[in-house]
Each structure stands twice: as structure tokens, then as C-alpha cells.
Amino acid sequence: NFTYCPATGLAKGNEQSEFAGWAFPFPGVFLMEEFISQDEESEIVELMDQDDWKPSQSGRKKQDYGPKVNFKKQRLRAGSFTGLPSFSKKLVAQMKACPVLGGFFPVEQCNLDYMPERGSAIDPHFDDWWLWGERLVSLNLLSNTVLSMSCDSEDSIQLFPTFSEENREFSPPGSLTQTPACRNSGKEGINCILSPRLVPRKEVTVGIPLPPRSLVVLQGEARYQWKHAIHRRHIQRRRICVTFRELSAEFSAGGEHEELGKELLEIALSFQGRPV
């Protein structure tokens, strides 16, 4: 019922919903359109399709480049992991130009293939944070989709009326309360109060539109407080998602498993990998 606006960082109520005219800040999302060119996109997909796609859950297919992990028992080893694929070396280098990706060193890459014929989707979920770090980075290829954000929290969100530059007014109607001084003076805006609105987080869903070749980064609140999903209705034709994950503090410098983290990162950034 809300759509994320990259230009303002706001989640704005959709016109057809009860939240039309309302908005709230939605921090933790960075979106860069046209991160790669169409030629680069075609080349990457062609290289991916030279390897096998393994069946995955909910109508998806996948290619994994990463260590062998048992998240339930919190066990980790290199296994047959030989690094990220060679074509990702250029992608990782390009990421360094993004303002939110300073010091981002991916240790895992997962390619997911979505097709409407297979009913491909992924349910609302959090990515693990025992092993994976602050930033989740995904490259959207081949078609438009929507990353759907939802929250189970009982906390409330404070909504604010949005301002239309075209009409030079706030909406929705009734969101402005005039004080007596404002009414008596005949002046507009000086003593008018914006009336916020409180709604439970669990009643709010935020769609992040992802054009082809766009790069999205989730961190902070968007990473740890909001679940993310791809719904079946948002897969209209073949779509490939390339997700990169960094190590958590536990496996980074000064962490309990720093040495294992170093070993895995060295393997990952050799860029000699095949799907495991």
C-alpha cells in the first residue's frame, strides 16, 4: 500500500489505497538504476546460462557461489567453494563507486532465476545475520519487478501528509488543522498544524520498484526490521537476481572467527569459482 521513492527516501501511499496522500521516511535503501549496460546484462546472463541452474524453492532456480553453511547449527566451512565467478570481478569493482558500498567485500553470490510459468516467488524473510553482514546487495536483471517490504512489529509508524508541488498544497484533505489565530487572520499556513497519523507497522507494506539492471542495497532498518519478498504477481517474464553478501562482524577483523573469514574472503575474491 506504499511505494518507495528513491529521490526522497519516502514511502508514499499508493493512490488506490487508504494511505493515499500519506508518507513516511523509509531509511536503509539505496537504489541505482542502470548500474550496468544492456550489453553487459546480456553478456552476464549468457555466461550464467552456460552453467547448470539447480531447482530451488517456490519455483525458482539457483546458482550458488559460497561456503557450505548450516545456519541452524551455526557451522561453516569452505567445502567445494572456489570463489565468485570471473564475470563478477568487474561488478564488484563498479560497486566501489556507490556511496554506501565503501569497504564492501562480498564473500557469497547467489543467482536466482524467476519465471512466471514456474510461479516463481520468495516469501517474506530476513537474511541471516550470524554470518552475513550489514549490507545486502542485489542486481536485478532482464525484467521489472517489485521488492516487497513488510514488518510483523506491533510498533506504530507516524505518517505525514505529502505536499504536491503541482497544486502547492498538502494532501489528504483534513490533514491540516487550522488554529484560531490562523482562521482569524485569514493567512494560510502560518498557524496551521500538520496532523500526523499513527498506524501499526504490520498494516504497512512498501514496494520498491526494481527496473532491469538496477542495483539495490538494503542496510540498517530495511535490513534488520523489515522482511523482504518477491511476490508471484510481480514476475511477468524471466527475471534473474544476483545477490552479494558480506561477512558479519563475527567473521571480520577483530571478530571471533576472523581467521576463517579471511580464508573465505580470499577464496571468494579469487574470482575463479563455479557454482557449488
Side-chain angles (χ1 to χ4, degrees):
N1 40 38
F2 286 79
T3 298
Y4 177 74
C5 172
T8 61
L10 296 175
K12 297 183 176 181
N14 295 337
E15 290 300 322
Q16 68 275 21
S17 82
E18 63 173 299
F19 301 112
W22 296 95
F24 66 97
F26 197 78
V29 178
F30 172 82
L31 181 66
M32 177 182 281
E33 297 188 14
E34 296 298 332
F35 179 72
I36 58 172
S37 68
Q38 281 187 291
D39 288 343
E40 288 172 319
E41 176 185 50
S42 298
E43 182 183 358
I44 288 169
V45 173
E46 187 177 334
L47 289 168
M48 285 180 181
D49 285 341
Q50 290 176 11
D51 288 313
D52 290 335
W53 289 91
K54 294 181 180 178
S56 185
Q57 298 171 318
S58 303
R60 290 169 284 133
K61 291 187 176 181
K62 68 177 180 178
Q63 295 174 340
D64 274 329
Y65 299 83
K68 189 172 180 62
V69 190
N70 185 323
F71 290 107
K72 191 172 286 187
K73 296 181 178 179
Q74 293 196 340
R75 291 179 184 169
L76 171 69
R77 59 188 177 87
S80 55
F81 179 40
T82 55
L84 304 188
S86 57
F87 66 79
S88 292
K89 188 171 187 177
K90 186 179 178 183
L91 293 176
V92 172
Q94 284 177 233
M95 288 178 196
K96 293 178 181 176
C98 297
V100 300
L101 290 178
F104 181 79
F105 298 106
V107 74
E108 194 240 24
Q109 175 179 332
C110 181
N111 305 334
L112 289 171
D113 182 306
Y114 292 73
M115 289 281 278
E117 295 84 356
R118 298 196 301 264
S120 301
I122 188 165
D123 291 335
H125 67 284
F126 293 112
D127 278 30
D128 171 82
W129 46 67
W130 164 69
L131 176 58
W132 309 133
E134 167 78 16
R135 293 163 292 188
L136 303 177
V137 181
S138 291
L139 179 62
N140 184 57
L141 302 178
L142 297 181
S143 64
N144 294 298
T145 194
V146 177
L147 188 63
S148 297
M149 312 294 288
S150 60
C151 189
D152 299 329
S153 171
E154 297 290 338
D155 294 344
S156 292
I157 291 177
Q158 193 170 49
L159 308 181
F160 296 94
T162 55
F163 183 74
S164 168
E165 288 288 349
E166 184 179 344
N167 300 324
R168 306 299 296 171
E169 62 183 20
F170 285 93
S171 62
S175 62
L176 285 177
T177 303
Q178 285 189 313
T179 63
C182 180
R183 287 194 295 268
N184 295 337
S185 68
K187 296 179 181 178
E188 292 184 6
I190 297 175
N191 291 303
C192 292
I193 301 169
L194 290 177
S195 304
R197 175 182 174 186
L198 289 176
V199 294
R201 279 179 186 258
K202 62 183 182 181
E203 292 183 11
V204 168
T205 55
V206 180
I208 305 174
L210 301 180
R213 299 176 297 283
S214 62
L215 187 83
V216 64
V217 181
L218 301 182
Q219 59 183 344
E221 284 189 32
R223 160 82 162 104
Y224 296 112
Q225 295 183 23
W226 293 82
K227 294 179 178 180
H228 56 275
I230 299 286
H231 298 307
R232 285 176 176 82
R233 65 181 180 274
H234 293 139
I235 300 296
Q236 302 298 320
R237 57 189 183 91
R238 190 186 186 194
R239 178 242 177 184
I240 290 177
C241 171
V242 188
T243 295
F244 298 91
R245 299 180 176 95
E246 63 184 343
L247 289 167
S248 67
E250 192 170 335
F251 292 86
S252 303
E256 184 181 349
H257 301 297
E258 176 183 357
E259 290 306 313
L260 178 54
K262 277 184 183 176
E263 176 194 344
L264 294 173
L265 205 52
E266 190 174 319
I267 295 171
L269 300 181
S270 70
F271 296 102
Q272 297 176 2
R274 300 294 302 271
V276 295

